[in-house]
Amino acid sequence: MSPARAVWEVASSSTLEAGVVTADSALRADPDLRDQLEDLQARFVRVPGSRTARAAVALADPRSESAGESVTRVQLHRHQVPMPDLQHEVRGGDGRLIGRSDFSWPEFRHLGEFDGKVKYERFLRKGESASDRVVREKRREDEMRDEGYGMTRFVWSMVMPDASRRTMAALLPVLARSQRLYVGFGAAG
């Protein structure tokens, strides 16, 4: 079975979340799969599960770097929250890269991060403890906020189907507040 067909089979026989996680991962490994996935959409338009698979392919983005980011995007889509740009670089006034956020809503000047255990356990620097990593992450967030951005952090419990409606409903006024506070922030300098 080809990689594209494997993605299609998962996407058509499982949840939208599983389909997007699988498609994101496959496209990250091989961006050329997009054309093959679109061909499969046309071939299997009337096959059971094809509607979910088409939605998964439409939402798939190779810039998504984790299953948590993929599932968060599915919930944003489901609850009609504007879709973010992914892997947004935030630079200081001097051009120095401060950090990269998982999600960015430029029209709101708002950033989002998905925080899973991997970020705080696997990506430790030599000699760094998990608590050192948390402090380093907090400093990075503070520096990005100092550039005139709001910030939301997501964790698994917030994006699971039973909690996602509440999470996404709470996000909408946060985006609006960031827009009021920060749009035009960078234009003055």
Side-chain angles (χ1 to χ4, degrees):
M1 180 179 294
S2 73
R5 182 65 186 263
V7 168
W8 182 263
E9 292 297 328
V10 168
S12 65
S13 62
S14 61
T15 65
L16 182 57
E17 289 86 352
V20 172
V21 168
T22 302
D24 283 352
S25 179
L27 287 170
R28 192 169 46 258
D30 182 2
D32 294 332
L33 285 180
R34 171 79 61 191
D35 291 338
Q36 295 170 47
L37 288 169
E38 289 176 5
D39 288 344
L40 289 171
Q41 288 184 78
R43 282 182 43 205
F44 297 113
V45 72
R46 298 204 191 307
V47 172
S50 64
R51 182 175 175 200
T52 301
R54 285 192 307 276
V57 170
L59 287 171
D61 192 317
R63 297 174 298 165
S64 188
E65 295 181 338
S66 72
E69 291 175 35
S70 300
V71 170
T72 301
R73 285 189 2 266
V74 170
Q75 301 308 347
L76 293 166
H77 166 76
R78 275 206 171 114
H79 298 290
Q80 300 171 349
V81 175
M83 291 304 283
D85 190 26
L86 304 183
Q87 310 313 327
H88 176 77
E89 290 186 350
V90 177
R91 296 192 175 271
D94 59 359
R96 174 183 61 91
L97 178 64
I98 294 170
R100 193 168 46 106
S101 67
D102 298 331
F103 309 110
S104 171
W105 291 268
E107 66 275 25
F108 298 101
R109 285 198 65 90
H110 196 82
L111 306 172
E113 291 281 314
F114 183 86
D115 289 333
K117 288 176 88 174
V118 169
K119 182 183 276 187
Y120 298 104
E121 293 176 353
R122 190 181 335 154
F123 298 127
L124 297 177
R125 293 177 178 166
K126 186 175 180 172
E128 185 177 50
S129 70
S131 63
D132 293 336
R133 174 67 172 107
V134 169
V135 169
R136 182 166 50 95
E137 181 68 13
K138 178 62 176 139
R139 284 189 189 126
R140 183 183 74 94
E141 178 181 329
D142 288 346
E143 284 188 64
M144 290 193 296
R145 285 179 185 270
D146 287 346
E147 293 303 316
Y149 289 95
M151 172 72 79
T152 297
R153 290 192 172 271
F154 302 96
V155 295
W156 280 111
S157 63
M158 296 169 71
V159 299
M160 297 311 293
D162 59 332
S164 64
R165 180 180 307 280
R166 202 170 35 257
T167 300
M168 298 308 156
L171 179 59
L172 290 169
V174 170
L175 291 173
R177 184 180 68 224
S178 285
Q179 188 175 42
R180 283 191 313 276
L181 291 173
Y182 303 120
V183 169
F185 182 88

